[in-house]
Amino acid sequence: MTAEGAVASPVQELLDELHARVQTVTDGEVATYIPALGKADPALFGLALATQDGHVYSAGDAATPFTVQSVSKPFVYALALHDRGLNAVLERVGVEPTGEGFDAIRLEPDTGRPLNPMVNAGAIVTASLVTGDDYGQRFQRIIDGLSAFAGRELRLDHGVLASEERTGDHNRALGYLLRNAGALEGDVDEAVGVYFRQCSVVVTARDLAVMAVTLAAGGVNPVTGERVVGADTCEHVLAVMATSGTYDFAGEWLLRAGLPAKSGVSGGLMAALPSQLGIGVYSPPLDRRGTSVRAIAACQELSSRFGLHLMRPVNRTTPVLHRFLRGDALGSQRTRRHAEREILRREARAIAVCELQGDLGFAAADVAVRAVSDDLAGVRWLVLDLHRVPRTEPVAVELLDSFAAELRGLGVTTVVSTEPGRTPLAAAETAFGTLDEALEWCEDALIAAACAAAPDGRLDLDAAVPLSEQDLLRDLPADMLDVLTPLLAERSLEPGQALFEPGAALDETLYFVVSGSLALQRLDGDAPEPLRLASMGPGTAVTGLTVADDRGAYRVVAEEPTVCRVLPAAAVKALDDDHPQVVEALHWAMARSLAARLRRADAQNQALIGSVP
Ligand code: GLN
């Protein structure tokens, strides 16, 4: 059997199955106090779920239009917050739950403010805070805003609007009370008129799911990609939905469903789970507190079935510390002369490499910082590798940054390795595109520091490396060196100049690096930049063998002004006749050097395998 085309989604199946079960619930009454709403078919039931990446699942009557009613309130509140700022809006509308119904006639005794924006009184004032020179402009801003949340152009149901206007005396009375209390300015009829209109905007359950997920996603509609409001605004709106979105049912709702939500009298309900999803439901029969009976049943079941409760602890499955190694277990891919290797062998534990993984928020960054600081004895260079960290919260950057600053005070240098163009730490000494380059930089710094601390030592990093100290030749007796010396030519390379191009003809010519640095690069077909695999410093030797492979994808280039001494293949051949023992000694030296490198690579592999839990 093959999976041709799309395979049925398990989420879709679960949604269909849940829809079928909840459809059989027949409790509740359709609201009739707005006569046009009373005509709704009580059997209608639409369910939609929109994900953070913009996929919308739906079941039943998810495309059936109905008027949004009170479900508009959080979105208009979002627009007011966006237009005025939190404090200006708070001055006019409170955020305390009422414990009463949607039409409660209660204002805050001393200020006259309505208690929250989810009850009618609060929503009437909220609508008056949206930007606009008059109520016409304000309503235009509201319907445009609701449309942006839904990702399509929404329209008014003039029949429902007329019906609500005819029977809306309770809301008009609220308007007059608000103006009398100083909470509402201007013409009451106009203010209440905008509120009636916002309630008569037509949506579907699918629209509500998309509108909800836009709040859950921090204000960017994931279907259209449009930013509607800021992330802070969404945070504030969801908080008020959680405490007051279902009026005098808000406590039990949050307890059982655990989702910030908003209900409406036409039978609509939307719920949002931050960073995950939005749910839209439509089913007209309401319970005695004005919430759709099937919407409650569907959301509570979805929540427990999918584990959506907001207060549920989320456990991190991968530890934040991917690997924490010292420089003696993990070395860079630089080939170094014997004297440098000796320094690293003695002191490389002064380098620590900390590879972090997963998104870094407060908790993960805190754990990482504590784990690292517990194990820093003798460390003077710390590499923080962030290649496996897709996202860092500002607080994580702040924690790592002050950690690096504190380490600097203790004489520890922090370097970061991360994707180019992303340097999250100000206190880091420097940033590298690869972990290998960061490690190499630390090793260079360690070697330089060791040489500076013992200036009378044998190693002068700036001086050209003489033949007698070349790695391959240092064990050769003086008379053999004397045979070789006159055969050697000199070759200088500019930075960027290649010593071997891909597919270079293979011969036995030996290049001894006297000063400067060579890099081994791999050229991958579509990669814009060659990949730097390894580098070779003064005192080391290379041959064409380094780049010999079937694909011809490797090259060796100078990274700085570089000088090599060259022992041509022909000269080695000629030597074979007169001084075969010199050629043999050379071949043995090459074999030993290769064996030593294999051992080092093997030790490194073992350390890496052993370090992953
Ligand atoms: N338009 C309705 C009203 O003001 C909205 C109420 C609601 O959905 N709870 O009565």
Side-chain angles (χ1 to χ4, degrees):
M1 201 174 79
T2 55
E4 273 176 45
V7 179
S9 152
V11 175
Q12 184 62 53
E13 283 174 15
L14 279 165
L15 218 59
D16 287 337
E17 185 262 330
L18 188 141
H19 179 272
R21 215 154 5 90
V22 174
Q23 178 79 69
T24 61
V25 176
T26 52
D27 301 341
E29 299 291 332
V30 176
T32 52
Y33 77 99
I34 299 171
L37 295 183
K39 295 184 210 149
D41 176 358
L44 285 172
F45 178 30
L47 181 58
L49 187 152
T51 62
Q52 164 110 326
D53 64 349
H55 187 83
V56 187
Y57 298 96
S58 55
D61 307 308
T64 301
F66 58 95
T67 53
V68 64
Q69 300 298 336
S70 285
V71 186
S72 61
K73 291 169 180 171
F75 300 103
V76 178
Y77 186 52
L79 298 175
L81 291 175
H82 177 88
D83 293 353
R84 298 276 182 134
L86 177 63
N87 289 331
V89 174
L90 269 181
E91 260 174 41
R92 305 286 301 277
V93 185
V95 285
E96 300 309 329
T98 58
E100 295 180 43
F102 67 91
D103 50 359
I105 310 181
R106 189 147 67 94
L107 303 180
E108 222 174 49
D110 40 347
T111 62
R113 285 188 311 177
L115 273 90
N116 70 61
M118 302 294 124
V119 291
N120 289 9
I124 293 167
V125 178
T126 303
S128 79
L129 298 177
V130 167
T131 296
D133 291 338
D134 55 34
Y135 280 104
Q137 285 187 2
R138 263 173 222 141
F139 180 65
Q140 194 57 47
R141 160 98 179 110
I142 288 172
I143 195 159
D144 288 346
L146 293 177
S147 300
F149 272 109
R152 70 180 184 101
E153 202 177 317
L154 301 177
R155 302 187 179 285
L156 272 179
D157 182 327
H158 289 279
V160 173
L161 175 60
S163 180
E164 176 149 10
E165 278 171 339
R166 267 195 307 278
T167 55
D169 282 346
H170 185 94
N171 285 324
R172 275 184 212 100
L174 282 176
Y176 282 103
L177 279 174
L178 286 165
R179 191 171 68 178
N180 180 59
L184 188 67
E185 287 156 10
D187 188 274
V188 169
D189 275 339
E190 280 193 320
V192 177
V194 169
Y195 166 74
F196 286 155
R197 292 165 84 81
Q198 86 177 47
C199 290
S200 301
V201 170
V202 177
V203 294
T204 63
R206 186 189 191 281
D207 289 331
L208 291 187
V210 174
M211 294 168 88
V213 80
T214 301
L215 288 176
V220 175
N221 180 322
V223 177
T224 62
E226 185 189 347
R227 172 162 292 286
V228 186
V229 291
D232 287 352
T233 291
C234 294
E235 208 171 282
H236 299 144
V237 172
L238 290 169
V240 178
M241 281 163 62
T243 51
S244 309
T246 45
Y247 318 112
D248 45 345
F249 181 53
E252 188 174 338
W253 169 270
L254 190 61
L255 178 80
R256 289 190 189 276
L259 295 168
K262 185 72 204 81
S263 58
V265 78
S266 55
L269 183 141
M270 65 99 178
L273 181 60
S275 307
Q276 292 206 43
L277 48 82
I279 298 170
V281 194
Y282 173 54
S283 168
L286 309 179
D287 68 7
R288 60 182 178 79
R289 291 186 281 206
T291 307
S292 162
V293 175
R294 289 196 190 102
I296 296 175
C299 285
Q300 285 182 1
E301 224 189 285
L302 268 178
S303 175
S304 63
R305 187 82 174 70
F306 293 176
L308 305 180
H309 202 292
L310 192 62
M311 307 303 176
R312 200 187 179 90
V314 182
N315 290 323
R316 201 182 162 97
T317 46
T318 46
V320 58
L321 216 55
H322 174 61
R323 269 198 297 237
F324 189 33
L325 292 169
R326 292 295 181 96
D328 56 346
L330 184 65
S332 76
Q333 294 299 318
R334 183 169 181 80
T335 316
R336 299 176 182 279
R337 67 182 114 169
H338 180 259
E340 294 182 31
R341 290 204 307 274
E342 279 302 296
I343 295 174
L344 288 177
R345 194 177 55 75
R346 284 195 311 270
E347 302 184 25
R349 282 191 59 78
I351 298 172
V353 181
C354 171
E355 293 173 85
L356 302 180
Q357 65 184 355
D359 288 346
L360 283 190
F362 166 77
D366 170 57
V367 166
V369 165
R370 272 187 285 119
V372 173
S373 52
D374 279 353
D375 198 7
L376 279 181
V379 168
R380 287 159 63 205
W381 289 270
L382 171 67
V383 180
L384 270 182
D385 179 72
L386 301 177
H387 280 97
R388 289 180 186 76
V389 174
R391 212 168 55 83
T392 42
E393 299 273 346
V395 62
V397 175
E398 204 180 307
L399 290 184
L400 292 178
D401 219 6
S402 39
F403 182 52
E406 197 175 328
L407 289 179
R408 185 157 59 189
L410 298 170
V412 180
T413 302
T414 303
V415 309
V416 172
S417 76
T418 182
E419 273 79 35
R422 186 179 151 204
T423 316
L425 301 190
E429 179 71 23
T430 173
F432 295 92
T434 65
L435 173 57
D436 189 55
E437 284 166 292
L439 253 174
E440 184 178 320
W441 187 89
C442 292
E443 290 172 352
D444 285 345
L446 185 154
I447 292 166
C451 292
D456 50 337
R458 289 152 299 142
L459 187 56
D460 178 356
L461 290 171
D462 297 325
V465 178
L467 277 189
S468 58
E469 285 170 32
Q470 289 286 333
D471 245 30
L472 279 185
L473 307 178
R474 49 192 287 276
D475 292 330
L476 257 59
D479 57 327
M480 288 198 185
L481 268 186
D482 290 343
V483 171
L484 283 175
T485 307
L487 305 176
L488 289 155
E490 193 167 279
R491 167 130 189 237
S492 298
L493 297 156
E494 298 298 319
Q497 197 181 341
L499 183 59
F500 302 118
E501 288 290 6
L506 185 58
D507 67 29
E508 286 179 42
T509 300
L510 256 174
Y511 295 83
F512 296 96
V513 184
V514 170
S515 62
S517 177
L518 297 172
L520 172 65
Q521 300 178 332
R522 192 174 70 214
L523 305 140
D524 276 331
D526 23 281
E529 294 279 324
L531 192 67
R532 184 183 187 268
L533 296 176
S535 70
M536 289 140 287
T540 67
V542 278
T543 72
L545 276 172
T546 317
V547 293
D549 84 316
D550 294 345
R551 293 184 301 149
Y554 297 92
R555 71 170 179 186
V556 172
V557 293
E559 296 194 293
E560 333 171 342
T562 298
V563 177
C564 298
R565 301 293 294 275
V566 190
L567 180 60
V572 180
K573 264 214 157 46
L575 263 185
D576 228 2
D577 296 336
D578 302 338
H579 302 282
Q581 76 284 9
V582 176
V583 176
E584 194 187 338
L586 255 183
H587 282 161
W588 270 112
M590 288 165 82
R592 269 198 304 273
S593 139
L594 213 57
R597 281 177 67 170
L598 276 177
R599 278 196 304 275
R600 282 199 297 278
D602 204 36
Q604 181 133 327
N605 275 342
Q606 291 300 332
L608 291 183
I609 293 165
S611 68
V612 178

